[in-house]
Coordinates of all heavy atoms in Angstrom, one line a residue:
S123 N 70.3 21.1 137.2 CA 68.9 21.0 137.0 C 68.7 20.0 135.9 O 69.6 19.7 135.0 CB 68.3 22.3 136.5 OG 68.8 22.7 135.2
V124 N 67.5 19.3 135.9 CA 67.2 18.4 134.8 C 65.8 18.7 134.3 O 64.8 18.6 135.1 CB 67.3 16.9 135.3 CG1 66.9 15.9 134.2 CG2 68.7 16.6 135.8
K125 N 65.6 19.0 133.1 CA 64.3 19.2 132.5 C 64.0 18.3 131.4 O 65.0 17.7 130.8 CB 64.2 20.7 132.0 CG 63.9 21.7 133.1 CD 63.6 23.0 132.5 CE 63.4 24.1 133.5 NZ 63.0 25.4 132.9
I126 N 62.8 18.1 131.0 CA 62.4 17.1 130.0 C 61.7 17.8 128.8 O 60.8 18.6 129.0 CB 61.4 16.1 130.7 CG1 62.1 15.3 131.7 CG2 60.7 15.2 129.6 CD1 61.2 14.5 132.6
C127 N 62.2 17.4 127.6 CA 61.6 17.9 126.4 C 61.2 16.6 125.6 O 62.0 15.8 125.3 CB 62.7 18.7 125.6 SG 62.2 19.1 123.9
T128 N 59.9 16.5 125.3 CA 59.4 15.4 124.6 C 58.6 15.9 123.4 O 57.9 16.9 123.5 CB 58.6 14.4 125.5 OG1 58.3 13.3 124.8 CG2 57.3 15.1 126.0
L129 N 58.8 15.2 122.3 CA 58.0 15.6 121.1 C 56.5 15.3 121.3 O 55.6 16.0 121.0 CB 58.5 14.9 119.8 CG 57.9 15.3 118.5 CD1 57.9 16.9 118.3 CD2 58.6 14.6 117.3
F130 N 56.2 14.1 121.9 CA 54.8 13.7 122.1 C 54.7 13.3 123.6 O 55.6 12.8 124.2 CB 54.5 12.5 121.2 CG 54.5 12.8 119.7 CD1 55.6 12.4 119.0 CD2 53.5 13.5 119.1 CE1 55.6 12.7 117.6 CE2 53.5 13.8 117.8 CZ 54.6 13.4 117.0
D131 N 53.4 13.4 124.0 CA 53.1 13.1 125.4 C 51.7 12.4 125.4 O 50.8 12.8 124.7 CB 53.0 14.4 126.2 CG 52.7 14.1 127.7 OD1 52.9 12.9 128.1 OD2 52.3 15.0 128.4
K132 N 51.7 11.2 126.0 CA 50.4 10.4 126.2 C 50.0 10.5 127.7 O 50.2 9.5 128.4 CB 50.6 9.0 125.8 CG 50.7 8.7 124.3 CD 50.4 7.2 124.0 CE 51.6 6.6 123.3 NZ 51.4 5.2 123.0
P133 N 49.5 11.6 128.2 CA 49.3 11.7 129.6 C 48.2 10.7 130.2 O 48.3 10.4 131.3 CB 48.8 13.2 129.8 CG 48.4 13.6 128.4 CD 49.1 12.8 127.4
S134 N 47.4 10.2 129.3 CA 46.3 9.3 129.8 C 46.9 8.0 130.2 O 46.2 7.2 130.9 CB 45.3 9.1 128.7 OG 45.9 8.4 127.6
R135 N 48.1 7.7 129.9 CA 48.8 6.4 130.2 C 49.8 6.5 131.4 O 50.5 5.5 131.7 CB 49.4 5.8 129.0 CG 48.4 5.2 128.0 CD 49.0 4.8 126.7 NE 50.2 4.0 126.9 CZ 50.2 2.6 127.0 NH1 49.1 2.0 126.9 NH2 51.3 2.0 127.1
R136 N 49.8 7.7 132.0 CA 50.9 7.9 133.0 C 50.7 7.0 134.2 O 49.7 6.9 134.8 CB 50.9 9.4 133.4 CG 52.2 9.8 134.0 CD 53.3 10.1 133.0 NE 53.2 11.4 132.5 CZ 52.9 11.7 131.2 NH1 52.6 10.8 130.4 NH2 52.9 13.0 130.9
K137 N 51.9 6.5 134.6 CA 51.9 5.7 135.9 C 52.8 6.4 136.9 O 52.8 6.0 138.1 CB 52.5 4.3 135.6 CG 51.6 3.4 134.7 CD 51.9 2.0 134.9 CE 51.0 1.1 134.0 NZ 51.7 0.6 132.8
K138 N 53.6 7.3 136.5 CA 54.5 8.0 137.4 C 54.2 9.5 137.4 O 53.8 10.0 136.3 CB 56.0 7.8 137.0 CG 56.5 6.4 137.1 CD 57.0 6.2 138.5 CE 57.2 4.7 138.9 NZ 58.2 4.0 138.0
P139 N 54.4 10.2 138.5 CA 54.0 11.6 138.5 C 55.1 12.5 137.8 O 56.0 13.0 138.5 CB 54.0 12.0 140.0 CG 54.9 11.0 140.7 CD 54.9 9.7 139.8
I140 N 55.0 12.6 136.5 CA 56.0 13.3 135.8 C 55.3 14.0 134.6 O 54.5 13.5 134.0 CB 57.1 12.3 135.3 CG1 58.3 13.1 134.7 CG2 56.6 11.3 134.3 CD1 59.6 12.3 134.7
T141 N 55.7 15.3 134.4 CA 55.2 16.1 133.3 C 56.4 16.7 132.5 O 57.4 17.1 133.1 CB 54.3 17.3 133.8 OG1 54.9 17.9 134.9 CG2 52.9 16.8 134.2
P142 N 56.2 16.8 131.2 CA 57.3 17.4 130.4 C 57.4 18.9 130.6 O 56.4 19.6 130.8 CB 56.9 17.0 129.0 CG 55.5 16.8 129.0 CD 55.1 16.4 130.4
D143 N 58.6 19.4 130.5 CA 58.8 20.9 130.6 C 58.5 21.5 129.2 O 58.1 22.7 129.1 CB 60.2 21.2 131.1 CG 60.4 20.6 132.5 OD1 59.9 21.3 133.4 OD2 61.0 19.6 132.6
Y144 N 58.8 20.7 128.2 CA 58.6 21.1 126.8 C 57.9 20.0 126.1 O 58.5 18.8 126.2 CB 59.9 21.5 126.1 CG 60.7 22.5 126.8 CD1 61.7 22.1 127.7 CD2 60.5 23.9 126.6 CE1 62.5 23.0 128.4 CE2 61.3 24.8 127.4 CZ 62.3 24.3 128.2 OH 63.0 25.2 128.9
C145 N 56.9 20.2 125.4 CA 56.2 19.1 124.7 C 55.6 19.6 123.4 O 55.0 20.7 123.3 CB 55.0 18.6 125.6 SG 53.9 17.5 124.8
G146 N 55.8 18.8 122.3 CA 55.3 19.2 121.0 C 53.8 19.0 120.8 O 53.1 19.9 120.4
K147 N 53.4 17.8 121.2 CA 51.9 17.5 121.0 C 51.5 16.4 121.9 O 52.1 15.4 122.2 CB 51.8 17.0 119.5 CG 50.3 16.9 119.1 CD 50.3 16.3 117.6 CE 48.9 16.1 117.1 NZ 48.3 17.2 116.5
V148 N 50.3 16.7 122.5 CA 49.6 15.7 123.4 C 48.8 14.8 122.5 O 48.1 15.2 121.6 CB 48.7 16.4 124.4 CG1 47.9 15.4 125.2 CG2 49.6 17.2 125.4
V149 N 49.0 13.4 122.7 CA 48.3 12.5 121.8 C 47.4 11.6 122.7 O 47.7 11.4 123.9 CB 49.2 11.7 120.9 CG1 49.8 12.5 119.9 CG2 50.3 10.9 121.7
D150 N 46.4 11.0 122.1 CA 45.5 10.1 122.7 C 46.3 8.7 122.9 O 47.4 8.6 122.5 CB 44.2 9.8 121.9 CG 43.4 11.1 121.8 OD1 43.5 11.9 122.8 OD2 42.7 11.2 120.8
D151 N 45.6 7.8 123.5 CA 46.2 6.5 123.7 C 46.3 5.7 122.4 O 45.5 4.8 122.2 CB 45.4 5.7 124.8 CG 46.0 4.4 125.2 OD1 47.1 4.1 124.7 OD2 45.4 3.7 125.9
L152 N 47.2 6.1 121.6 CA 47.4 5.5 120.2 C 48.8 5.1 120.1 O 49.7 5.6 120.8 CB 47.1 6.5 119.1 CG 45.7 7.1 119.1 CD1 45.7 8.4 118.3 CD2 44.7 6.1 118.6
F153 N 49.1 4.1 119.3 CA 50.6 3.8 119.1 C 51.1 4.4 117.8 O 50.5 4.2 116.7 CB 50.8 2.2 119.0 CG 52.2 1.9 119.3 CD1 52.6 1.8 120.6 CD2 53.1 1.7 118.3 CE1 54.0 1.5 120.9 CE2 54.4 1.4 118.6 CZ 54.9 1.3 119.9
I154 N 52.1 5.3 118.0 CA 52.5 6.1 116.8 C 54.0 5.7 116.4 O 54.7 5.2 117.3 CB 52.4 7.6 117.1 CG1 53.3 8.0 118.3 CG2 51.0 8.0 117.3 CD1 53.3 9.5 118.6
V155 N 54.2 5.8 115.2 CA 55.5 5.5 114.6 C 56.0 6.5 113.6 O 55.3 7.4 113.2 CB 55.5 4.1 113.9 CG1 55.2 3.0 114.8 CG2 54.5 4.1 112.7
G156 N 57.3 6.5 113.3 CA 57.9 7.4 112.4 C 58.7 8.5 113.1 O 58.6 8.7 114.3
Y157 N 59.6 9.2 112.3 CA 60.4 10.3 112.9 C 61.2 9.8 114.1 O 61.2 10.5 115.1 CB 59.5 11.5 113.1 CG 60.3 12.8 113.3 CD1 61.0 13.4 112.3 CD2 60.3 13.4 114.6 CE1 61.7 14.6 112.5 CE2 61.0 14.6 114.8 CZ 61.7 15.2 113.7 OH 62.4 16.4 113.9

Side-chain angles (χ1 to χ4, degrees):
S123 72
V124 179
K125 282 190 181 182
I126 292 168
C127 171
T128 186
L129 184 56
F130 295 100
D131 184 17
K132 282 198 241 182
S134 63
R135 286 173 47 93
R136 200 77 88 247
K137 294 200 181 103
K138 292 274 164 65
I140 192 158
T141 46
D143 299 284
Y144 308 92
C145 170
K147 191 181 174 90
V148 172
V149 292
D150 294 333
D151 185 6
L152 303 163
F153 201 80
I154 61 175
V155 293
Y157 196 67

